[in-house]
Amino acid sequence: MSNAPIKVSRRDFIIRSTQAGTAFALGLSLPGLGSGAVAAEGPAGADNSHTETPEVNAWVVIEPDDTVIIRIARSEMGQGTLTGLAQLVAEELMCDWSKVTTEYPTPGENLKRDRVWGSFSTGGSRGIRESHDYVRKGGAVARQMLIQAAAEAWDVPMDECTAANSVITHGPTGRTTTYGKVASAAAELWPPEHVALKDPDDWTLIGKPVKRLDTLDKLNGKQVFGADLKLPGMLNAAIKACPVFTGKLSSFDDAAVRDKPGVRAVVAVGENAVAVVAETWWQAKTALDALPITWDKGEHADLSSADIDAMLDAGLTSSEQVFVGNAAGNAEQGLAGAAKTIEAVYAYPYQNHATMEPMNATAVWTPERCEVWCPTQDGMAALEAAADAAGLPIDRCDVHKIHLGGGFGRRGAFHDFVTQAVTIAKQLPGTPVKLLWTREEDMAHGHYHPVTKCKLVGGLDENGGLTALHVRISGQSILAAVRPQWMGDDGADPVTFQGFHADGDHAISYSVPNLLVEHAMRNPPVPPGFWRGVNINQNAIYLECFIDELAHAAGKDPLDFRRKLMAEHPKSLAVLEAVADRIGWGKPAADGVHRGLAVVKTFGSYVAACAEVSVDGGKVKVHRIVAATDPGYAVNPQQIEAQVEGSFVYGLSALFHGECTLENGAVVQSNFHDYPSMQIKDMPQVEVIVMPSGDFWGGIGEPTIAVAAPAVLNAVFAATGKRVRRVPLKYAELS
Amino acid sequence: MAKLKVNGELLQVEADPSTPLLWVLREQLGLTGTKYGCGIGVCGSCTVHIDGAAVRACTLPIAEVNEGQEIVTIEGLSASNDHPLQQAWAELDVPQCGYCQPGIIMTAAALLAENPDPSDADIDAAVTNICRCGTFNRVRRGIHLAATMKKNGGAS
Ligand code: FES
Ligand code: FES
């Protein structure tokens, strides 16, 4: 925005640029979902017009009663980013934290305002680490404007005024005023061009374990999720898509269900799905179950897990479609000259995100406009999907974000549920339609954690030092299916090498003189996706378990063996030493209890874990995990603890149970009875060491997921002498 | 036409008798705090109380519920977020996404009503809910904290 002293007031400018085209253009009164916490029914105010109070800037609105509304562009899906981002803004705003609330701007507004809120994408543990700078500046700019407004009102120089806790004080006279009192005057000012951010040593809110801002409504049923939304006149849709991924819808016999109670329409949805629209969702779902459907299953109708296995096995030794992710020295020669070599093959299956809230979206379409309400990890991408399906220019569409009942990557890169909801709504112009998937549909139409296998060959010298390592990954590329534009010019998928890179956010934590890491790309016709942790989940198992194998082959202690390789990786070594120290590595564990270690750098953070397990009658019990994380700056330590614990549940559920298999071209598992997830009885004690070393911003939501499984598997080896090289663990014979 | 007593009120509902209680609560009565997670009785997201016992509403047709039975949903657990579990949950910031939480809180509330000071093993046996965000350790601490608060008479 220009700083030029033009005549039009800044406030008029903003009002004019944000008021065009609200939901009211539809002639419907629809609830807005600013903060995600709204009444389930009836109008609760239009989006973001919660108040007549003008914003101070895009990030900050302050009401006359001193309520501070902080705008959050990223999505809250349980990971706490809403609170963390608000802390960042509030730190610089220097407002009263107890008066802070939040709201989501809509993606449509973001477009209209030249993307003033930047990225809406919430994945890759990027919420805080990629926006900390501009959101803090947003808070700092607003603070300056509030101070300037007070100084002008008092007719004193700005630099005689200070702000703290939403109160502005004029030093020489001791006069005070509050943010609420000067906010509308501040809104008329042009923002300063330059603001200085606080020195981290002066932070009073960043780094504090403040409570989440979104807890209370989650305790009494008030939190309205997308699945709960009810709009006036709304109908409900249930959907089935062809169970074979590349298959299509041939036909359906709607006469068989048209007269069932509540049924209003039976419609084809795109090329591969059919939906029943009814007054209630239960009616829609019941009618859909009774609907005769024929599918054209297409060329992959016979695909099975055995076919995919064979494809990946071939990739372990083939020289076709092989890409190099990291190389140093000469691994081949290194291995040839080694005193001892060992080799192992690991495997990791397809897994479903299984967010607790199944996929859903609510849409209303008219020839003029389309509005969508949905849980999404990326509002802008949801808007693009909506506009595409609506067949309308993007500026005639908008998306209203709702807190997610879990995301884990499922609701970021993919908006199939939005496309479907809009496609259905388009066939019932003017009527809001909520599409809710059954759990069975969710299991059948995921964007799955990709399958890979990995062959590792390591060479040791006479002293048991690691001199050469050859890693060959064979398996599916996420980028090839989801983001081909991010692939290398040579067709390589860099994300496949997470945890093996020479440097950067996902660098290997060891120095190996002769190293070769390769990927034989093998892409089965099953849609892959980003899944909390992405490829670090299996890569950490491959490398960290194999390092353990090497240590064992060298007759070394796994901690000592790692230390020798980590001289150039002090931050990784520090988190590893921290967990070893806390658990008492080297001292005996309780009777029957055994330990395993893992260390990883990923999503810009350094993490390590030490697990204590026992194995009784072939059953693995995880007793305790000590985890350390160095994310550079730690915005909210108690939320980091929650994320570490949560990541272990997700990671250990994946290790113990997570597997989607294919038969006849379709996913076999259909619900939580055959795709189980951990329960409280399986939960280990978790001790979290947060050790921020400053000067960088690492991720939180994902990194620690990677260390849970290898630490447990290494402990299982310590307990049984058996290596588990295939996930899920249920296949292992441990008794 | 069926009659159900929900959160202390006798209500008329119009739904096919085979309709699961979950969908009557959510779609007919607007009580959307009770969640759909699996529909097969496995995840516990849909847990409500019937005459004080934790019941998974997704597999219970309303034909099997009579108007003499007291159904309580998360919305009816307390008047103002002041059930000891709700207080403990707020104190410990238990929820992450929150989707599973009404079901977990209702499960834990039934446990506490029957067993005011549950051991870890009691909790393991009673709370079989799925939480994909992984709030279990705070859930456990929350149940113990609520038990203590109740014992000390700190809450209703
Ligand atoms: S929805 Fe009822 S147990 Fe899962
Ligand atoms: S808090 Fe998200 S599923 Fe439990």
Side-chain angles (χ1 to χ4, degrees), chain A residues 40 77-78 210-212 215-216 218-221 223 225 227-228 230 236 280-282 352-354 356-358 404-406 408 436-440 531-532 638-639 641-643 645-646 649-650 653 671-673 675 677-681 683-686, chain B residues 16 18-20 23 26-28 30 32-40 42-43 45 58 74-75 77 81 86-87 89-102 105 123-124 127-141 143:
Chain A
M77 50 187 164
V210 298
K211 297 264 177 68
R212 296 174 67 112
T215 294
L216 292 186
K218 292 179 175 177
L219 307 181
N220 53 17
Q223 174 72 59
F225 291 90
D228 305 331
K230 189 167 183 184
N236 289 274
T280 70
W281 185 80
W282 182 253
N352 191 297
H353 296 85
M356 213 64 230
E357 178 195 24
L404 293 74
F408 312 122
L436 171 65
W437 288 20
T438 57
R439 175 61 58 192
E440 287 78 9
W531 192 101
R532 189 177 189 176
Q638 70 99 350
Q639 278 307 302
E641 280 176 28
Q643 282 307 292
E645 282 183 8
V649 174
Y650 210 65
S653 291
N671 205 319
F672 286 122
H673 67 294
Y675 189 78
S677 195
M678 246 172 101
Q679 293 179 2
I680 202 167
K681 68 176 165 55
M683 190 64 196
Q685 181 190 332
V686 175
Chain B
D16 189 280
S18 67
T19 308
W23 296 102
R26 288 178 57 79
E27 303 200 284
Q28 248 88 31
T32 54
T34 307
K35 304 299 182 201
Y36 164 66
C38 68
I40 58 166
V42 173
C43 75
S45 298
C58 66
I74 186 74
E75 290 89 348
L77 181 65
N81 247 353
Q86 289 168 318
Q87 295 186 32
W89 252 236
E91 174 65 30
L92 300 175
D93 249 358
V94 174
Q96 291 190 25
C97 83
Y99 194 81
C100 71
Q101 296 293 324
I105 291 171
I123 293 171
D124 285 350
V127 182
T128 57
N129 305 51
I130 293 176
C131 170
R132 293 288 286 164
C133 296
T135 58
F136 296 132
N137 284 354
R138 289 190 183 193
V139 165
R140 188 187 298 285
R141 279 165 56 206
I143 295 173

Side-chain angles (χ1 to χ4, degrees), chain A residues 538-610:
Chain A
Q538 73 275 17
N539 288 353
I541 290 175
Y542 301 158
L543 183 60
E544 283 304 289
C545 291
F546 191 64
I547 287 284
D548 223 68
E549 297 203 35
L550 289 163
H552 184 73
K556 303 258 164 140
D557 171 81
L559 176 60
D560 281 339
F561 186 80
R562 284 181 171 83
R563 273 188 190 126
K564 296 229 157 47
L565 303 169
M566 296 177 77
E568 291 165 34
H569 305 272
K571 285 185 196 281
S572 295
L573 185 57
V575 288
L576 182 65
E577 298 281 9
V579 296
D581 197 51
R582 171 73 67 88
I583 207 118
W585 188 266
K587 296 182 205 113
D591 245 9
V593 172
H594 300 267
R595 294 177 179 144
L597 288 169
V599 60
V600 159
K601 181 189 182 189
T602 193
F603 299 97
S605 289
Y606 302 85
V607 295
C610 186

